[in-house]
Amino acid sequence: MNILEWAFGKRVTPAERLRKNQRLLDKAIRELDQQRVKLEKQEKTLVTQIRQSAQKGNLNASKIMAKDLVRTRRYIEKFYGMKSQLQQISLRLQTHRTNEQMMQAMKGATMALGSMNRTMNLPSLQRIAMEFERENDIMEQRQEMMDDAVDDAMDTGLEEEGDEVLEQVLEEIGVDLSQSFGETPSGLQSNQVPEGKVAQAVGGGGADPGDDDLQARLDSLRR
């Protein structure tokens, strides 16, 4: 504690002052409630005493106690009104306290945003974004090249392996692959008709001039 605080007291912030006043109001409301509860008990006691005094025929005492009962009820109503006013003031203080907290939060957020804006370098951010985009494109190109290389490696020898599998299947069913695709079966060769017989069959009629012309063309082809 410095000399100024010792001489003039500690400096109180608005938030601390609001909290102090809030505590005082809460204390006053509790005291009013306590007094009101006492008066309500006193009211019940007076009602009982008035009934007993009236039953005994003591009207003067009953009138005096009736006046006390009226005053007690009026004070009870006043205490209710005072409590309502104190609660209203307490709500106002609480509203001001909330506004103060909101202002402090906004002030802190504003300072933080200002600091971020001052430290933020837009050209640097743009450069970083461009570098990221370039590196990302390079990575995608390399990935495509790797995928193509993997596909080529997977396709290597695929045709040879396919031929081997086909040959195995044909061997299992009793078919020769060379006969199926290259050579002519022997049965088909024995069934071929010689050219002379074809020519004789074509020229066998002799009566049609068109047949003679066809025979002449075949003879020229043989030469």
PDB file of all heavy atoms in Angstrom, residues 149-164:
ATOM      1  N   ALA A 149       2.947 -44.852 -63.663  1.00  0.00           N
ATOM      2  CA  ALA A 149       4.023 -45.840 -63.576  1.00  0.00           C
ATOM      3  C   ALA A 149       3.521 -47.142 -62.963  1.00  0.00           C
ATOM      4  O   ALA A 149       3.865 -48.241 -63.413  1.00  0.00           O
ATOM      5  CB  ALA A 149       5.183 -45.274 -62.750  1.00  0.00           C
ATOM      6  N   VAL A 150       2.687 -47.019 -61.953  1.00  0.00           N
ATOM      7  CA  VAL A 150       2.139 -48.230 -61.326  1.00  0.00           C
ATOM      8  C   VAL A 150       1.248 -48.980 -62.301  1.00  0.00           C
ATOM      9  O   VAL A 150       1.283 -50.212 -62.396  1.00  0.00           O
ATOM     10  CB  VAL A 150       1.372 -47.844 -60.043  1.00  0.00           C
ATOM     11  CG1 VAL A 150       0.613 -49.048 -59.497  1.00  0.00           C
ATOM     12  CG2 VAL A 150       2.335 -47.325 -58.992  1.00  0.00           C
ATOM     13  N   ASP A 151       0.433 -48.239 -63.078  1.00  0.00           N
ATOM     14  CA  ASP A 151      -0.435 -48.897 -64.059  1.00  0.00           C
ATOM     15  C   ASP A 151       0.383 -49.608 -65.130  1.00  0.00           C
ATOM     16  O   ASP A 151       0.057 -50.733 -65.537  1.00  0.00           O
ATOM     17  CB  ASP A 151      -1.359 -47.860 -64.702  1.00  0.00           C
ATOM     18  CG  ASP A 151      -2.358 -47.299 -63.698  1.00  0.00           C
ATOM     19  OD1 ASP A 151      -2.611 -47.977 -62.677  1.00  0.00           O
ATOM     20  OD2 ASP A 151      -2.875 -46.185 -63.928  1.00  0.00           O
ATOM     21  N   ASP A 152       1.470 -48.953 -65.607  1.00  0.00           N
ATOM     22  CA  ASP A 152       2.323 -49.597 -66.613  1.00  0.00           C
ATOM     23  C   ASP A 152       2.983 -50.853 -66.054  1.00  0.00           C
ATOM     24  O   ASP A 152       3.100 -51.875 -66.739  1.00  0.00           O
ATOM     25  CB  ASP A 152       3.398 -48.608 -67.085  1.00  0.00           C
ATOM     26  CG  ASP A 152       2.783 -47.439 -67.852  1.00  0.00           C
ATOM     27  OD1 ASP A 152       1.638 -47.595 -68.342  1.00  0.00           O
ATOM     28  OD2 ASP A 152       3.430 -46.371 -67.936  1.00  0.00           O
ATOM     29  N   ALA A 153       3.428 -50.772 -64.808  1.00  0.00           N
ATOM     30  CA  ALA A 153       4.057 -51.945 -64.203  1.00  0.00           C
ATOM     31  C   ALA A 153       3.058 -53.082 -64.033  1.00  0.00           C
ATOM     32  O   ALA A 153       3.401 -54.260 -64.200  1.00  0.00           O
ATOM     33  CB  ALA A 153       4.662 -51.568 -62.846  1.00  0.00           C
ATOM     34  N   MET A 154       1.834 -52.738 -63.737  1.00  0.00           N
ATOM     35  CA  MET A 154       0.822 -53.778 -63.578  1.00  0.00           C
ATOM     36  C   MET A 154       0.448 -54.400 -64.916  1.00  0.00           C
ATOM     37  O   MET A 154       0.102 -55.581 -64.991  1.00  0.00           O
ATOM     38  CB  MET A 154      -0.419 -53.181 -62.913  1.00  0.00           C
ATOM     39  CG  MET A 154      -0.192 -52.713 -61.480  1.00  0.00           C
ATOM     40  SD  MET A 154       0.192 -54.060 -60.350  1.00  0.00           S
ATOM     41  CE  MET A 154      -1.359 -54.935 -60.353  1.00  0.00           C
ATOM     42  N   ASP A 155       0.526 -53.608 -66.031  1.00  0.00           N
ATOM     43  CA  ASP A 155       0.158 -54.122 -67.351  1.00  0.00           C
ATOM     44  C   ASP A 155       1.280 -54.904 -68.020  1.00  0.00           C
ATOM     45  O   ASP A 155       1.058 -55.555 -69.045  1.00  0.00           O
ATOM     46  CB  ASP A 155      -0.246 -52.953 -68.266  1.00  0.00           C
ATOM     47  CG  ASP A 155      -1.557 -52.324 -67.797  1.00  0.00           C
ATOM     48  OD1 ASP A 155      -2.311 -53.010 -67.080  1.00  0.00           O
ATOM     49  OD2 ASP A 155      -1.807 -51.149 -68.142  1.00  0.00           O
ATOM     50  N   THR A 156       2.511 -54.833 -67.496  1.00  0.00           N
ATOM     51  CA  THR A 156       3.642 -55.534 -68.109  1.00  0.00           C
ATOM     52  C   THR A 156       3.434 -57.048 -68.026  1.00  0.00           C
ATOM     53  O   THR A 156       3.184 -57.601 -66.949  1.00  0.00           O
ATOM     54  CB  THR A 156       4.949 -55.156 -67.395  1.00  0.00           C
ATOM     55  OG1 THR A 156       5.120 -53.737 -67.470  1.00  0.00           O
ATOM     56  CG2 THR A 156       6.129 -55.852 -68.044  1.00  0.00           C
ATOM     57  N   GLY A 157       3.571 -57.721 -69.203  1.00  0.00           N
ATOM     58  CA  GLY A 157       3.412 -59.170 -69.244  1.00  0.00           C
ATOM     59  C   GLY A 157       1.983 -59.642 -69.170  1.00  0.00           C
ATOM     60  O   GLY A 157       1.744 -60.845 -69.053  1.00  0.00           O
ATOM     61  N   LEU A 158       1.047 -58.690 -69.240  1.00  0.00           N
ATOM     62  CA  LEU A 158      -0.359 -59.080 -69.123  1.00  0.00           C
ATOM     63  C   LEU A 158      -0.808 -59.892 -70.333  1.00  0.00           C
ATOM     64  O   LEU A 158      -1.533 -60.886 -70.206  1.00  0.00           O
ATOM     65  CB  LEU A 158      -1.222 -57.821 -68.963  1.00  0.00           C
ATOM     66  CG  LEU A 158      -2.711 -58.054 -68.714  1.00  0.00           C
ATOM     67  CD1 LEU A 158      -2.925 -58.809 -67.408  1.00  0.00           C
ATOM     68  CD2 LEU A 158      -3.462 -56.722 -68.678  1.00  0.00           C
ATOM     69  N   GLU A 159      -0.342 -59.489 -71.539  1.00  0.00           N
ATOM     70  CA  GLU A 159      -0.752 -60.197 -72.752  1.00  0.00           C
ATOM     71  C   GLU A 159      -0.177 -61.610 -72.783  1.00  0.00           C
ATOM     72  O   GLU A 159      -0.871 -62.574 -73.141  1.00  0.00           O
ATOM     73  CB  GLU A 159      -0.287 -59.402 -73.978  1.00  0.00           C
ATOM     74  CG  GLU A 159      -0.783 -59.984 -75.290  1.00  0.00           C
ATOM     75  CD  GLU A 159      -0.413 -59.095 -76.470  1.00  0.00           C
ATOM     76  OE1 GLU A 159       0.179 -58.021 -76.223  1.00  0.00           O
ATOM     77  OE2 GLU A 159      -0.718 -59.487 -77.599  1.00  0.00           O
ATOM     78  N   GLU A 160       1.129 -61.754 -72.399  1.00  0.00           N
ATOM     79  CA  GLU A 160       1.741 -63.079 -72.392  1.00  0.00           C
ATOM     80  C   GLU A 160       1.045 -64.000 -71.394  1.00  0.00           C
ATOM     81  O   GLU A 160       0.768 -65.173 -71.685  1.00  0.00           O
ATOM     82  CB  GLU A 160       3.229 -62.969 -72.047  1.00  0.00           C
ATOM     83  CG  GLU A 160       4.086 -62.321 -73.139  1.00  0.00           C
ATOM     84  CD  GLU A 160       3.970 -60.810 -73.137  1.00  0.00           C
ATOM     85  OE1 GLU A 160       3.234 -60.288 -72.265  1.00  0.00           O
ATOM     86  OE2 GLU A 160       4.588 -60.154 -73.990  1.00  0.00           O
ATOM     87  N   GLU A 161       0.754 -63.458 -70.216  1.00  0.00           N
ATOM     88  CA  GLU A 161       0.068 -64.282 -69.224  1.00  0.00           C
ATOM     89  C   GLU A 161      -1.323 -64.674 -69.708  1.00  0.00           C
ATOM     90  O   GLU A 161      -1.787 -65.798 -69.473  1.00  0.00           O
ATOM     91  CB  GLU A 161      -0.029 -63.525 -67.899  1.00  0.00           C
ATOM     92  CG  GLU A 161       1.318 -63.304 -67.231  1.00  0.00           C
ATOM     93  CD  GLU A 161       1.175 -62.550 -65.923  1.00  0.00           C
ATOM     94  OE1 GLU A 161       0.025 -62.240 -65.559  1.00  0.00           O
ATOM     95  OE2 GLU A 161       2.200 -62.282 -65.272  1.00  0.00           O
ATOM     96  N   GLY A 162      -1.982 -63.759 -70.438  1.00  0.00           N
ATOM     97  CA  GLY A 162      -3.296 -64.090 -70.981  1.00  0.00           C
ATOM     98  C   GLY A 162      -3.220 -65.202 -72.009  1.00  0.00           C
ATOM     99  O   GLY A 162      -4.078 -66.098 -72.042  1.00  0.00           O
ATOM    100  N   ASP A 163      -2.175 -65.163 -72.869  1.00  0.00           N
ATOM    101  CA  ASP A 163      -2.008 -66.236 -73.861  1.00  0.00           C
ATOM    102  C   ASP A 163      -1.745 -67.575 -73.183  1.00  0.00           C
ATOM    103  O   ASP A 163      -2.262 -68.623 -73.610  1.00  0.00           O
ATOM    104  CB  ASP A 163      -0.856 -65.882 -74.805  1.00  0.00           C
ATOM    105  CG  ASP A 163      -1.194 -64.668 -75.668  1.00  0.00           C
ATOM    106  OD1 ASP A 163      -2.409 -64.379 -75.819  1.00  0.00           O
ATOM    107  OD2 ASP A 163      -0.260 -64.011 -76.169  1.00  0.00           O
ATOM    108  N   GLU A 164      -0.926 -67.554 -72.121  1.00  0.00           N
ATOM    109  CA  GLU A 164      -0.639 -68.800 -71.411  1.00  0.00           C
ATOM    110  C   GLU A 164      -1.905 -69.383 -70.789  1.00  0.00           C
ATOM    111  O   GLU A 164      -2.153 -70.594 -70.851  1.00  0.00           O
ATOM    112  CB  GLU A 164       0.410 -68.544 -70.334  1.00  0.00           C
ATOM    113  CG  GLU A 164       1.790 -68.203 -70.893  1.00  0.00           C
ATOM    114  CD  GLU A 164       2.788 -67.914 -69.788  1.00  0.00           C
ATOM    115  OE1 GLU A 164       2.369 -67.968 -68.608  1.00  0.00           O
ATOM    116  OE2 GLU A 164       3.964 -67.633 -70.095  1.00  0.00           O
TER     117      GLU A 164
END
